[in-house]
Amino acid sequence: MGRKTGRIGQNVEKNVCFYKQKTAYEMLRSLVGLEMCINQEDKREYLLLSLKYTGKSRNSVISEIKRISKPGLRVYANSKELPKVLDHLGIAIISTSKGVMTNLKAKELIIGGEVLCHIW
């Protein structure tokens, strides 16, 4: 039996597909590094990400993703004002001059940037 396929951005058998863009690639690489996702596959036109599940009920490690910065309202934070998502139980994805990274990595490097989203 062949593998099921779906539209880009749609959940397909515990996998999520994204159009291949630099920002999306860097965000997904951060999630794989934090063990929120199992692995990623680089396809020609899209990125395929395998989500991580835990427990017998197979609950997703990522319960919610909230977009913070929007085209009409950009949200920036300096290194001292970086957000703490659920008291460090979640992460924030920050776009900095050194690339896209988590709030913890940005705080470690003492740089600020645009807050893209919160993940928990």
Side-chain angles (χ1 to χ4, degrees):
M1 178 177 269
R3 191 169 125 163
K4 292 183 183 178
T5 58
R7 295 188 339 226
I8 302 296
Q10 181 180 359
N11 191 348
V12 180
E13 291 187 350
K14 303 177 188 174
N15 294 325
V16 181
C17 300
F18 293 92
Y19 284 114
K20 194 169 186 177
Q21 297 173 349
K22 185 178 179 182
T23 306
Y25 180 78
E26 300 228 357
M27 286 175 61
L28 298 177
R29 195 175 64 184
S30 297
L31 294 177
V32 171
L34 291 171
E35 297 182 5
M36 290 188 163
C37 300
I38 298 171
N39 64 2
Q40 64 188 23
E41 275 183 53
D42 256 335
K43 298 291 183 182
R44 186 175 189 158
E45 298 145 8
Y46 61 90
L47 294 168
L48 183 65
L49 186 71
S50 298
L51 299 177
K52 186 174 181 181
Y53 293 85
T54 60
K56 291 183 180 180
S57 61
R58 307 292 294 159
N59 293 328
S60 175
V61 171
I62 298 174
S63 60
E64 190 168 339
I65 299 175
K66 183 178 180 185
R67 184 174 181 179
I68 303 300
S69 205
K70 299 175 184 174
L73 179 63
R74 301 288 183 188
V75 177
Y76 296 94
N78 64 26
S79 62
K80 295 177 184 174
E81 298 172 348
L82 289 171
K84 292 181 186 175
V85 181
L86 293 178
D87 206 21
H88 293 299
L89 292 176
I91 61 166
I93 302 292
I94 312 290
S95 177
T96 68
S97 58
K98 306 256 184 189
V100 178
M101 60 186 71
T102 65
N103 58 338
L104 304 175
K105 182 75 173 174
K107 191 162 190 93
E108 179 182 303
L109 296 175
I110 311 172
I111 53 176
E114 181 180 355
V115 182
L116 299 177
C117 63
H118 290 168
I119 302 172
W120 67 90

